[in-house]
Amino acid sequence: MTLLGIAVPFASEHTNAQQSASVAISVKDHHFQPSQVSAPANRPISIKVKNLDATPMEFESTSLRVEKVIAAGSEGVVNVRALAPGRYEFFDDFHQETRGTLVVQ
Ligand SMILES: [Cu+2]
């Protein structure tokens, strides 16, 4: 939850062109909901991940170079750099069958 307070001033200190885009995703019964999310290219992206399960998960992506543990029933924000258009896979490192895709366009 403390990361939410950091994300807002970070976004407001930048120009419109660099302002971060936000996407939200949940994990329930070890499935990402939705399993595919879209975000604009060439802008930093703030991914809000809500873990609705009773077990911790680790949001991880090799192509995005991020990983973040999110406790059971908790939420976290994963910030990624501005990206070129493409499809970026992510998964729960604690339950690797739990997979999703970030579509940047
Ligand atoms: Cu990991």
Side-chain angles (χ1 to χ4, degrees):
M1 289 298 284
T2 51
L3 282 175
L4 287 173
I6 294 166
V8 173
F10 173 83
S12 62
E13 285 167 13
H14 288 71
T15 64
N16 281 343
Q18 293 177 317
Q19 205 165 46
S20 62
S22 296
V23 299
I25 195 165
S26 296
V27 182
K28 177 121 173 81
D29 299 327
H30 305 302
H31 286 90
F32 284 110
Q33 297 178 341
S35 61
Q36 182 171 305
V37 288
S38 298
N42 305 311
R43 282 170 65 183
I45 302 165
S46 182
I47 306 169
K48 185 168 149 184
V49 184
K50 194 180 252 189
N51 182 7
L52 301 174
D53 282 336
T55 53
M57 61 89 60
E58 183 179 59
F59 183 92
E60 178 154 349
S61 171
T62 309
S63 55
L64 297 172
R65 292 186 214 159
V66 292
E67 59 179 343
K68 185 180 183 70
V69 174
I70 299 168
S74 180
E75 62 183 49
V77 176
V78 177
N79 292 307
V80 302
R81 67 194 186 281
L83 296 168
R87 295 172 63 84
Y88 300 84
E89 307 271 320
F90 54 83
F91 57 96
D92 174 358
D93 202 20
F94 297 162
H95 307 88
Q96 296 210 4
E97 71 285 0
T98 306
R99 291 181 172 266
T101 308
L102 174 67
V103 179
V104 174
Q105 53 203 3

